[in-house]
Amino acid sequence: GAGVSQSPSNKVTEKGKDVELRCDPISGHTALYWYRQRLGQGLEFLIYFQGNSAPDKSGLPSDRFSAERTGESVSTLTIQRTQQEDSAVYLCASSRAYPRQGQETQYFGPGTRLLVL
Amino acid sequence: SQQGEEDPQALSIQEGENATMNCSYKTSINNLQWYRQNSGRGLVHLILIRSNEREKHSGRLRVTLDTSKKSSSLLITASRAADTASYFCATVETSGSRLTFGEGTQLTVNP
């Protein structure tokens, strides 16, 4: 059906609060990725899921960041005790299958723009 | 650290001209991909070139890959104002499957 969707589009929060960002991948896509993009910079890999397991969490910047995924469906990225340096656009992508050597095209959502005051 | 580095960081041209963007990387790769991003939002996959390929075309796009120099270029011919966007290269290392992005080139096409 439709492409990858993310919510909310924009989120403004106060330093120290927790936030949850949601990603709905394309139906049938088994792989799901989270990236962070700071203003004027490229994308930083955070984590990817194959189904509901996360084989690679090495990009998560600190233990304040966590993510989970329900089956091959929705994923949530949670940032606890937000800091101002967490301000960025958080992008989610999905692909059809486990990316054997990156051959599968990733389809990106529009992102969530997070601002921590 | 970023695997890919794009050059130039910003490019401004007139409609109808060609735009060339370059990308350099550090490690051995399985493939290199180019993405486009409008207004800091979602990325759109443009083209993938494998390490055993030297050139690939898609419409007005031409991508080259030189693995000996660890570099790639993206050429957009006959540019249009609608091509205005940020363009990113992303690499997949031979040892893994993660996409590693460069910092992008901001292309402005003036009507």
Side-chain angles (χ1 to χ4, degrees), chain A residues 37 56 58 99 102-103 109-110, chain B residues 30 33 37 41-42 50 97-98:
Chain A
Q37 185 179 30
D56 188 352
S58 61
Q103 298 291 346
Chain B
N30 176 271
Q33 304 178 31
Q37 183 179 40
R41 287 299 197 176
R50 294 182 173 80
S97 57
R98 177 197 295 195

Side-chain angles (χ1 to χ4, degrees), chain A residues 50-66:
Chain A
Q50 176 61 23
N52 63 3
S53 68
D56 188 352
K57 304 179 184 179
S58 61
L60 294 177
S62 76
D63 59 7
R64 296 187 295 106
F65 287 72
S66 63

Side-chain angles (χ1 to χ4, degrees), chain A residues 32-49:
Chain A
L32 184 148
Y33 314 80
W34 283 99
Y35 297 89
R36 177 171 72 178
Q37 185 179 30
R38 292 200 167 106
L39 185 64
Q41 297 186 17
L43 277 69
E44 299 173 66
F45 169 84
L46 298 178
I47 187 171
Y48 98 85
F49 288 89

Side-chain angles (χ1 to χ4, degrees), chain B residues 4 18 29 35 38-39 55 76 79 109:
Chain B
N18 295 341
I29 62 170
Y35 285 79
N38 286 77
S39 304
E55 188 170 311
I76 304 174
S79 63
V109 181

